[in-house]
Short mmCIF file of all heavy atoms in Angstrom, two decimals:
data_model
loop_
_atom_site.label_atom_id
_atom_site.label_comp_id
_atom_site.label_asym_id
_atom_site.label_seq_id
_atom_site.Cartn_x
_atom_site.Cartn_y
_atom_site.Cartn_z
N MET A 463 195.77 29.00 -69.26
CA MET A 463 195.80 29.07 -70.75
C MET A 463 196.69 27.98 -71.32
O MET A 463 196.56 27.87 -72.61
CB MET A 463 196.31 30.46 -71.07
CG MET A 463 197.50 30.94 -70.49
SD MET A 463 198.99 30.24 -71.01
CE MET A 463 199.38 30.92 -72.51
N ILE A 464 197.39 27.18 -70.54
CA ILE A 464 198.32 26.28 -71.14
C ILE A 464 197.74 25.24 -72.03
O ILE A 464 198.12 25.02 -73.14
CB ILE A 464 199.35 25.77 -70.01
CG1 ILE A 464 200.37 24.92 -70.65
CG2 ILE A 464 198.49 24.86 -69.06
CD1 ILE A 464 201.48 24.66 -69.77
N LEU A 465 196.58 24.60 -71.61
CA LEU A 465 195.98 23.60 -72.49
C LEU A 465 195.44 24.19 -73.72
O LEU A 465 195.48 23.60 -74.85
CB LEU A 465 194.83 22.91 -71.74
CG LEU A 465 195.18 21.86 -70.65
CD1 LEU A 465 193.87 21.14 -70.33
CD2 LEU A 465 196.11 20.81 -71.26
N PHE A 466 194.90 25.41 -73.66
CA PHE A 466 194.35 26.11 -74.74
C PHE A 466 195.31 26.49 -75.70
O PHE A 466 195.22 26.27 -76.97
CB PHE A 466 193.58 27.44 -74.20
CG PHE A 466 193.08 28.34 -75.27
CD1 PHE A 466 191.97 27.95 -76.01
CD2 PHE A 466 193.67 29.55 -75.56
CE1 PHE A 466 191.51 28.80 -77.08
CE2 PHE A 466 193.22 30.32 -76.54
CZ PHE A 466 192.05 29.93 -77.25
N HIS A 467 196.53 27.00 -75.18
CA HIS A 467 197.60 27.32 -75.99
C HIS A 467 198.11 26.03 -76.78
O HIS A 467 198.37 26.15 -78.01
CB HIS A 467 198.76 27.80 -75.08
CG HIS A 467 200.00 28.32 -75.81
ND1 HIS A 467 200.10 29.46 -76.38
CD2 HIS A 467 201.11 27.46 -76.19
CE1 HIS A 467 201.38 29.50 -76.96
NE2 HIS A 467 201.96 28.43 -76.85
N LEU A 468 198.19 24.94 -76.14
CA LEU A 468 198.65 23.74 -76.76
C LEU A 468 197.60 23.28 -77.78
O LEU A 468 197.92 22.86 -78.93
CB LEU A 468 198.96 22.51 -75.73
CG LEU A 468 200.16 22.87 -74.79
CD1 LEU A 468 200.27 21.80 -73.85
CD2 LEU A 468 201.41 22.96 -75.64
N ASP A 469 196.30 23.31 -77.49
CA ASP A 469 195.32 23.01 -78.37
C ASP A 469 195.37 23.82 -79.63
O ASP A 469 195.15 23.28 -80.77
CB ASP A 469 193.93 23.16 -77.60
CG ASP A 469 192.80 22.55 -78.37
OD1 ASP A 469 192.96 21.53 -79.09
OD2 ASP A 469 191.65 23.09 -78.23
N MET A 470 195.58 25.06 -79.50
CA MET A 470 195.70 25.89 -80.71
C MET A 470 196.76 25.37 -81.58
O MET A 470 196.83 25.68 -82.88
CB MET A 470 196.02 27.39 -80.30
CG MET A 470 194.96 28.06 -79.52
SD MET A 470 193.35 28.22 -80.54
CE MET A 470 193.79 29.51 -81.60
N LYS A 471 197.75 24.70 -81.07
CA LYS A 471 198.83 24.22 -81.80
C LYS A 471 198.65 22.83 -82.29
O LYS A 471 199.56 22.16 -82.77
CB LYS A 471 200.25 24.41 -81.15
CG LYS A 471 200.61 25.73 -80.90
CD LYS A 471 201.99 25.84 -80.26
CE LYS A 471 202.46 27.30 -80.06
NZ LYS A 471 202.95 27.96 -81.24
N GLY A 472 197.45 22.29 -82.08
CA GLY A 472 197.05 20.99 -82.58
C GLY A 472 197.50 19.86 -81.56
O GLY A 472 197.64 18.58 -81.95
N ILE A 473 197.95 20.22 -80.27
CA ILE A 473 198.51 19.17 -79.42
C ILE A 473 197.35 18.98 -78.36
O ILE A 473 196.93 19.78 -77.61
CB ILE A 473 199.74 19.76 -78.73
CG1 ILE A 473 200.72 20.10 -79.77
CG2 ILE A 473 200.28 18.71 -77.75
CD1 ILE A 473 201.88 20.96 -79.24
N ALA A 474 197.02 17.65 -78.24
CA ALA A 474 196.11 17.27 -77.22
C ALA A 474 196.80 16.53 -76.05
O ALA A 474 197.42 15.52 -76.29
CB ALA A 474 195.13 16.23 -77.74
N VAL A 475 196.83 17.31 -74.97
CA VAL A 475 197.25 16.63 -73.65
C VAL A 475 196.22 16.90 -72.64
O VAL A 475 195.05 17.60 -72.86
CB VAL A 475 198.59 17.12 -73.19
CG1 VAL A 475 199.71 16.77 -74.12
CG2 VAL A 475 198.59 18.69 -73.06
N SER A 476 196.44 16.57 -71.50
CA SER A 476 195.45 16.65 -70.43
C SER A 476 195.95 17.34 -69.04
O SER A 476 197.03 17.13 -68.75
CB SER A 476 194.71 15.41 -70.22
OG SER A 476 193.84 15.47 -69.21
N ARG A 477 195.07 18.04 -68.44
CA ARG A 477 195.38 18.55 -67.06
C ARG A 477 194.67 17.76 -66.17
O ARG A 477 193.48 17.49 -66.22
CB ARG A 477 194.96 19.99 -66.99
CG ARG A 477 195.22 20.61 -65.61
CD ARG A 477 194.84 22.07 -65.64
NE ARG A 477 193.39 22.15 -65.59
CZ ARG A 477 192.64 22.36 -64.45
NH1 ARG A 477 193.21 22.42 -63.39
NH2 ARG A 477 191.38 22.39 -64.54
N GLY A 478 195.46 16.97 -65.21
CA GLY A 478 194.70 16.13 -64.34
C GLY A 478 194.06 15.04 -65.09
O GLY A 478 194.53 14.42 -65.95
N SER A 479 192.82 14.69 -64.78
CA SER A 479 192.06 13.69 -65.40
C SER A 479 191.27 14.19 -66.50
O SER A 479 190.51 15.07 -66.41
CB SER A 479 191.16 12.88 -64.46
OG SER A 479 190.41 12.14 -65.15
N ALA A 480 191.48 13.61 -67.69
CA ALA A 480 190.67 14.07 -68.85
C ALA A 480 189.36 13.73 -68.84
O ALA A 480 188.46 14.34 -69.49
CB ALA A 480 191.37 13.53 -70.16
N CYS A 481 189.04 12.77 -67.91
CA CYS A 481 187.68 12.36 -67.90
C CYS A 481 186.67 13.50 -67.29
O CYS A 481 185.48 13.44 -67.46
CB CYS A 481 187.48 11.05 -66.98
SG CYS A 481 188.48 9.78 -67.47
N GLN A 482 187.41 14.39 -66.64
CA GLN A 482 186.64 15.68 -66.34
C GLN A 482 187.24 16.87 -66.90
O GLN A 482 187.29 17.92 -66.25
CB GLN A 482 186.54 15.62 -64.86
CG GLN A 482 187.49 14.82 -64.04
CD GLN A 482 187.95 15.29 -62.64
OE1 GLN A 482 187.15 16.14 -62.11
NE2 GLN A 482 188.90 14.68 -62.03
N SER A 483 187.70 16.77 -68.11
CA SER A 483 188.39 17.96 -68.65
C SER A 483 187.18 19.02 -68.82
O SER A 483 185.98 18.66 -68.98
CB SER A 483 188.94 17.64 -69.97
OG SER A 483 187.96 17.24 -70.94
N GLY A 484 187.62 20.31 -68.75
CA GLY A 484 186.66 21.32 -68.80
C GLY A 484 186.30 21.77 -67.43
O GLY A 484 185.81 22.81 -67.15
N SER A 485 186.54 20.87 -66.43
CA SER A 485 186.24 21.16 -65.10
C SER A 485 187.30 22.16 -64.62
O SER A 485 188.50 22.02 -64.88
CB SER A 485 186.29 19.91 -64.16
OG SER A 485 186.77 20.16 -62.99
N ILE A 486 187.13 23.14 -63.73
CA ILE A 486 187.98 24.05 -63.35
C ILE A 486 188.63 23.76 -61.95
O ILE A 486 189.53 24.22 -61.41
CB ILE A 486 187.56 25.60 -63.22
CG1 ILE A 486 186.15 25.56 -62.65
CG2 ILE A 486 187.51 26.13 -64.62
CD1 ILE A 486 185.81 26.88 -61.99
N LYS A 487 187.96 22.68 -61.34
CA LYS A 487 188.37 22.06 -60.11
C LYS A 487 189.77 21.47 -60.21
O LYS A 487 190.05 20.85 -61.20
CB LYS A 487 187.45 20.93 -59.62
CG LYS A 487 186.30 21.55 -58.92
CD LYS A 487 185.52 20.44 -58.03
CE LYS A 487 184.54 19.75 -58.85
NZ LYS A 487 183.86 18.62 -58.26
N PRO A 488 190.69 21.63 -59.30
CA PRO A 488 192.04 20.83 -59.34
C PRO A 488 191.77 19.46 -59.41
O PRO A 488 190.82 18.95 -58.78
CB PRO A 488 192.75 21.45 -58.14
CG PRO A 488 191.72 21.91 -57.17
CD PRO A 488 190.47 22.36 -57.97
N SER A 489 192.62 18.71 -59.88
CA SER A 489 192.50 17.32 -59.90
C SER A 489 192.55 16.71 -58.48
O SER A 489 193.36 17.05 -57.63
CB SER A 489 193.83 16.72 -60.68
OG SER A 489 194.28 15.58 -59.95
N HIS A 490 191.70 15.89 -58.24
CA HIS A 490 191.52 15.35 -56.91
C HIS A 490 192.72 14.38 -56.46
O HIS A 490 193.03 14.23 -55.43
CB HIS A 490 190.20 14.52 -56.70
CG HIS A 490 190.07 13.22 -57.38
ND1 HIS A 490 189.97 13.14 -58.71
CD2 HIS A 490 190.35 11.83 -56.96
CE1 HIS A 490 189.94 11.91 -59.14
NE2 HIS A 490 190.16 11.09 -58.11
N VAL A 491 193.34 13.93 -57.65
CA VAL A 491 194.63 13.07 -57.35
C VAL A 491 195.73 13.96 -56.97
O VAL A 491 196.41 13.73 -55.92
CB VAL A 491 194.90 12.26 -58.66
CG1 VAL A 491 196.26 11.48 -58.52
CG2 VAL A 491 193.78 11.32 -59.01
N LEU A 492 196.00 15.05 -57.83
CA LEU A 492 197.04 15.92 -57.48
C LEU A 492 196.88 16.63 -56.11
O LEU A 492 197.82 16.89 -55.39
CB LEU A 492 197.34 17.00 -58.51
CG LEU A 492 197.75 16.35 -59.92
CD1 LEU A 492 198.04 17.47 -60.96
CD2 LEU A 492 198.92 15.51 -59.78
N ALA A 493 195.54 16.89 -55.74
CA ALA A 493 195.24 17.49 -54.50
C ALA A 493 195.75 16.70 -53.32
O ALA A 493 195.96 17.25 -52.22
CB ALA A 493 193.72 17.78 -54.42
N GLU A 494 195.78 15.36 -53.50
CA GLU A 494 196.31 14.48 -52.39
C GLU A 494 197.81 14.53 -52.23
O GLU A 494 198.35 14.13 -51.28
CB GLU A 494 195.77 13.09 -52.66
CG GLU A 494 194.36 12.74 -52.54
CD GLU A 494 193.82 13.09 -51.13
OE1 GLU A 494 194.44 12.69 -50.15
OE2 GLU A 494 192.98 13.89 -50.98
N MET A 495 198.56 14.98 -53.27
CA MET A 495 200.00 14.94 -53.35
C MET A 495 200.64 16.22 -53.21
O MET A 495 201.89 16.28 -52.69
CB MET A 495 200.38 14.23 -54.65
CG MET A 495 199.82 12.85 -54.82
SD MET A 495 200.07 12.46 -56.54
CE MET A 495 201.81 12.54 -56.73
N LEU A 496 200.15 17.23 -53.70
CA LEU A 496 200.90 18.49 -53.91
C LEU A 496 200.59 19.50 -52.91
O LEU A 496 199.45 19.54 -52.36
CB LEU A 496 200.62 19.05 -55.36
CG LEU A 496 200.99 18.28 -56.53
CD1 LEU A 496 200.74 19.11 -57.89
CD2 LEU A 496 202.40 17.73 -56.50
N SER A 497 201.39 20.49 -52.74
CA SER A 497 201.21 21.63 -51.80
C SER A 497 200.22 22.60 -52.52
O SER A 497 199.98 22.44 -53.69
CB SER A 497 202.40 22.34 -51.44
OG SER A 497 202.90 22.96 -52.67
N ASN A 498 199.54 23.38 -51.74
CA ASN A 498 198.52 24.24 -52.21
C ASN A 498 199.13 25.16 -53.36
O ASN A 498 198.52 25.45 -54.38
CB ASN A 498 197.92 25.16 -51.21
CG ASN A 498 196.81 24.48 -50.59
OD1 ASN A 498 196.38 23.36 -51.01
ND2 ASN A 498 196.48 24.86 -49.27
N GLU A 499 200.33 25.55 -53.14
CA GLU A 499 201.09 26.47 -54.02
C GLU A 499 201.34 25.68 -55.40
O GLU A 499 201.15 26.20 -56.35
CB GLU A 499 202.41 26.84 -53.42
CG GLU A 499 203.07 28.03 -54.00
CD GLU A 499 204.39 28.32 -53.32
OE1 GLU A 499 204.47 28.23 -52.13
OE2 GLU A 499 205.36 28.64 -54.09
N ASP A 500 201.86 24.49 -55.22
CA ASP A 500 202.15 23.67 -56.34
C ASP A 500 200.92 23.27 -57.15
O ASP A 500 200.90 23.15 -58.49
CB ASP A 500 202.96 22.35 -56.04
CG ASP A 500 204.40 22.64 -55.99
OD1 ASP A 500 204.86 23.81 -56.20
OD2 ASP A 500 205.11 21.78 -55.37
N LEU A 501 199.79 23.15 -56.50
CA LEU A 501 198.59 22.90 -57.10
C LEU A 501 198.07 23.90 -58.09
O LEU A 501 197.31 23.72 -59.00
CB LEU A 501 197.49 22.60 -55.99
CG LEU A 501 196.41 21.61 -56.24
CD1 LEU A 501 196.96 20.25 -56.80
CD2 LEU A 501 195.61 21.37 -55.00
N LYS A 502 198.41 25.11 -57.76
CA LYS A 502 198.04 26.22 -58.63
C LYS A 502 198.83 26.29 -59.91
O LYS A 502 198.40 26.96 -60.87
CB LYS A 502 198.27 27.52 -57.82
CG LYS A 502 197.17 27.74 -56.77
CD LYS A 502 197.28 29.16 -56.16
CE LYS A 502 196.61 29.18 -54.76
NZ LYS A 502 197.36 29.72 -53.70
N LYS A 503 200.02 25.73 -59.83
CA LYS A 503 200.82 25.75 -61.04
C LYS A 503 200.48 24.76 -62.19
O LYS A 503 199.80 23.78 -61.82
CB LYS A 503 202.35 25.42 -60.60
CG LYS A 503 202.93 26.53 -59.76
CD LYS A 503 204.53 26.11 -59.50
CE LYS A 503 205.00 27.00 -58.47
NZ LYS A 503 205.99 26.28 -57.76
N PRO A 504 200.98 24.89 -63.41
CA PRO A 504 200.49 24.02 -64.40
C PRO A 504 201.17 22.59 -64.35
O PRO A 504 202.27 22.49 -64.21
CB PRO A 504 200.81 24.81 -65.70
CG PRO A 504 201.64 25.74 -65.34
CD PRO A 504 201.66 25.98 -63.92
N SER A 505 200.13 21.67 -64.15
CA SER A 505 200.64 20.14 -64.40
C SER A 505 199.91 19.65 -65.57
O SER A 505 198.84 19.92 -65.77
CB SER A 505 200.16 19.46 -63.14
OG SER A 505 201.00 19.60 -61.96
N LEU A 506 200.69 18.84 -66.27
CA LEU A 506 200.15 18.34 -67.52
C LEU A 506 200.33 16.83 -67.44
O LEU A 506 201.21 16.21 -66.97
CB LEU A 506 200.98 18.71 -68.69
CG LEU A 506 200.86 20.18 -69.24
CD1 LEU A 506 201.68 20.17 -70.57
CD2 LEU A 506 199.37 20.51 -69.56
N ARG A 507 199.25 16.04 -67.99
CA ARG A 507 199.26 14.74 -68.04
C ARG A 507 199.48 14.38 -69.55
O ARG A 507 198.64 14.71 -70.27
CB ARG A 507 197.97 14.02 -67.58
CG ARG A 507 198.12 12.49 -67.81
CD ARG A 507 196.95 11.78 -67.50
NE ARG A 507 195.80 11.98 -68.49
CZ ARG A 507 194.57 11.42 -68.36
NH1 ARG A 507 194.34 10.63 -67.51
NH2 ARG A 507 193.64 11.69 -69.32
N ILE A 508 200.65 13.68 -69.78
CA ILE A 508 200.95 13.38 -71.26
C ILE A 508 200.88 11.88 -71.24
O ILE A 508 201.49 11.13 -70.36
CB ILE A 508 202.43 13.86 -71.56
CG1 ILE A 508 202.48 15.43 -71.49
CG2 ILE A 508 202.81 13.48 -72.99
CD1 ILE A 508 203.65 15.84 -70.69
N SER A 509 200.05 11.37 -72.10
CA SER A 509 199.92 9.85 -72.09
C SER A 509 200.00 9.43 -73.57
O SER A 509 199.47 9.88 -74.54
CB SER A 509 198.64 9.55 -71.45
OG SER A 509 197.45 10.22 -71.94
N PHE A 510 200.74 8.38 -73.64
CA PHE A 510 201.31 7.83 -74.98
C PHE A 510 200.51 6.55 -75.56
O PHE A 510 200.00 5.73 -74.75
CB PHE A 510 202.78 7.51 -74.91
CG PHE A 510 203.50 8.46 -74.10
CD1 PHE A 510 203.67 8.35 -72.78
CD2 PHE A 510 204.09 9.49 -74.74
CE1 PHE A 510 204.41 9.29 -72.06
CE2 PHE A 510 204.92 10.41 -74.05
CZ PHE A 510 205.03 10.32 -72.68
N SER A 511 200.69 6.38 -76.80
CA SER A 511 200.26 5.05 -77.38
C SER A 511 201.29 4.80 -78.49
O SER A 511 202.25 5.62 -78.83
CB SER A 511 198.91 5.08 -78.12
OG SER A 511 199.03 5.59 -79.43
N HIS A 512 201.22 3.57 -79.00
CA HIS A 512 202.17 3.02 -80.03
C HIS A 512 202.09 3.85 -81.28
O HIS A 512 203.04 3.86 -82.07
CB HIS A 512 202.00 1.66 -80.39
CG HIS A 512 200.69 1.27 -81.01
ND1 HIS A 512 199.48 1.16 -80.32
CD2 HIS A 512 200.35 1.15 -82.44
CE1 HIS A 512 198.49 0.88 -81.16
NE2 HIS A 512 199.04 0.94 -82.36
N PHE A 513 201.07 4.76 -81.42
CA PHE A 513 200.99 5.56 -82.58
C PHE A 513 201.78 6.79 -82.62
O PHE A 513 201.99 7.52 -83.54
CB PHE A 513 199.41 6.07 -82.91
CG PHE A 513 198.42 4.93 -83.36
CD1 PHE A 513 197.30 4.59 -82.60
CD2 PHE A 513 198.68 4.19 -84.41
CE1 PHE A 513 196.43 3.59 -82.99
CE2 PHE A 513 197.88 3.19 -84.89
CZ PHE A 513 196.72 2.86 -84.18
N ASN A 514 202.22 7.17 -81.34
CA ASN A 514 203.03 8.38 -81.13
C ASN A 514 204.51 8.13 -81.67
O ASN A 514 204.93 6.99 -81.83
CB ASN A 514 203.08 8.74 -79.73
CG ASN A 514 201.77 9.24 -79.22
OD1 ASN A 514 201.23 8.78 -78.28
ND2 ASN A 514 201.24 10.27 -79.72
N THR A 515 205.09 9.35 -82.06
CA THR A 515 206.47 9.31 -82.58
C THR A 515 207.30 10.33 -81.74
O THR A 515 206.77 11.19 -81.04
CB THR A 515 206.44 9.77 -84.02
OG1 THR A 515 205.87 11.03 -84.01
CG2 THR A 515 205.62 8.86 -84.96
N ILE A 516 208.56 10.17 -81.95
CA ILE A 516 209.54 11.11 -81.47
C ILE A 516 209.24 12.55 -81.94
O ILE A 516 209.33 13.51 -81.22
CB ILE A 516 211.01 10.84 -81.85
CG1 ILE A 516 211.39 9.50 -81.14
CG2 ILE A 516 212.00 11.90 -81.59
CD1 ILE A 516 211.92 9.55 -79.69
N GLU A 517 208.84 12.60 -83.14
CA GLU A 517 208.38 13.97 -83.69
C GLU A 517 207.33 14.59 -82.87
O GLU A 517 207.24 15.72 -82.50
CB GLU A 517 208.01 13.79 -85.08
CG GLU A 517 207.93 15.07 -85.88
CD GLU A 517 207.06 14.99 -87.13
OE1 GLU A 517 206.82 13.90 -87.71
OE2 GLU A 517 206.75 16.12 -87.66
N ASP A 518 206.35 13.80 -82.39
CA ASP A 518 205.23 14.25 -81.56
C ASP A 518 205.78 14.95 -80.33
O ASP A 518 205.41 15.95 -79.78
CB ASP A 518 204.25 13.21 -81.08
CG ASP A 518 203.43 12.56 -82.26
OD1 ASP A 518 203.29 13.22 -83.31
OD2 ASP A 518 202.94 11.49 -82.16
N ILE A 519 206.88 14.29 -79.69
CA ILE A 519 207.37 14.82 -78.53
C ILE A 519 208.06 16.17 -78.82
O ILE A 519 208.02 17.19 -78.09
CB ILE A 519 208.46 13.77 -77.84
CG1 ILE A 519 207.79 12.48 -77.74
CG2 ILE A 519 208.93 14.50 -76.58
CD1 ILE A 519 206.66 12.36 -76.79
N ASP A 520 208.84 16.18 -79.95
CA ASP A 520 209.51 17.47 -80.28
C ASP A 520 208.56 18.62 -80.54
O ASP A 520 208.77 19.69 -80.10
CB ASP A 520 210.29 17.22 -81.66
CG ASP A 520 211.49 16.31 -81.36
OD1 ASP A 520 212.02 16.28 -80.18
OD2 ASP A 520 211.89 15.67 -82.30
N VAL A 521 207.32 18.30 -81.17
CA VAL A 521 206.35 19.30 -81.36
C VAL A 521 205.87 19.84 -80.00
O VAL A 521 205.64 21.00 -79.91
CB VAL A 521 205.24 18.74 -82.25
CG1 VAL A 521 204.09 19.78 -82.23
CG2 VAL A 521 205.60 18.39 -83.59
N LEU A 522 205.70 18.89 -79.09
CA LEU A 522 205.13 19.35 -77.69
C LEU A 522 206.27 20.19 -77.07
O LEU A 522 205.84 21.31 -76.43
CB LEU A 522 204.90 18.16 -76.83
CG LEU A 522 204.58 18.34 -75.44
CD1 LEU A 522 203.25 19.00 -75.25
CD2 LEU A 522 204.45 17.08 -74.56
N ILE A 523 207.43 19.83 -77.05
CA ILE A 523 208.40 20.69 -76.39
C ILE A 523 208.64 22.06 -77.03
O ILE A 523 208.74 23.00 -76.30
CB ILE A 523 209.87 19.85 -76.47
CG1 ILE A 523 209.88 18.51 -75.61
CG2 ILE A 523 210.96 20.73 -76.04
CD1 ILE A 523 209.77 18.74 -74.04
N GLU A 524 208.62 22.04 -78.29
CA GLU A 524 208.65 23.41 -79.09
C GLU A 524 207.62 24.17 -78.59
O GLU A 524 207.71 25.41 -78.35
CB GLU A 524 208.63 23.17 -80.56
CG GLU A 524 210.10 22.68 -81.15
CD GLU A 524 211.30 23.41 -80.51
OE1 GLU A 524 211.30 24.75 -80.68
OE2 GLU A 524 212.20 22.94 -80.12
N ALA A 525 206.32 23.62 -78.49
CA ALA A 525 205.18 24.39 -78.11
C ALA A 525 205.29 24.92 -76.69
O ALA A 525 205.02 26.17 -76.35
CB ALA A 525 203.91 23.62 -78.28
N LEU A 526 205.83 24.00 -75.86
CA LEU A 526 206.02 24.46 -74.48
C LEU A 526 206.98 25.68 -74.33
O LEU A 526 206.89 26.53 -73.39
CB LEU A 526 206.44 23.30 -73.57
CG LEU A 526 205.32 22.18 -73.29
CD1 LEU A 526 205.98 21.07 -72.45
CD2 LEU A 526 204.17 22.82 -72.43
N LYS A 527 207.92 25.57 -75.24
CA LYS A 527 209.02 26.71 -75.11
C LYS A 527 208.46 28.06 -75.46
O LYS A 527 209.01 29.10 -75.20
CB LYS A 527 210.10 26.35 -76.06
CG LYS A 527 211.19 25.35 -75.39
CD LYS A 527 212.03 24.63 -76.38
CE LYS A 527 213.03 25.46 -77.17
NZ LYS A 527 213.70 24.55 -78.10
#
Side-chain angles (χ1 to χ4, degrees):
M463 49 72 76
I464 187 163
L465 279 190
F466 176 71
H467 180 88
L468 294 175
D469 190 28
M470 293 299 285
K471 292 183 179 287
I473 303 167
V475 292
S476 174
R477 181 175 71 95
S479 169
C481 303
Q482 18 159 9
S483 60
S485 146
I486 45 152
K487 276 198 269 176
S489 139
H490 70 283
V491 175
L492 296 184
E494 289 300 311
M495 302 164 57
L496 300 185
S497 66
N498 280 341
E499 199 184 319
D500 279 351
L501 212 49
K502 288 187 199 131
K503 292 186 194 151
S505 279
L506 286 186
R507 178 185 70 177
I508 299 131
S509 48
F510 315 87
S511 88
H512 64 282
F513 288 127
N514 290 122
T515 60
I516 290 280
E517 194 197 343
D518 290 346
I519 309 296
D520 288 336
V521 172
L522 172 67
I523 293 287
E524 284 311 307
L526 287 175
K527 276 160 60 179

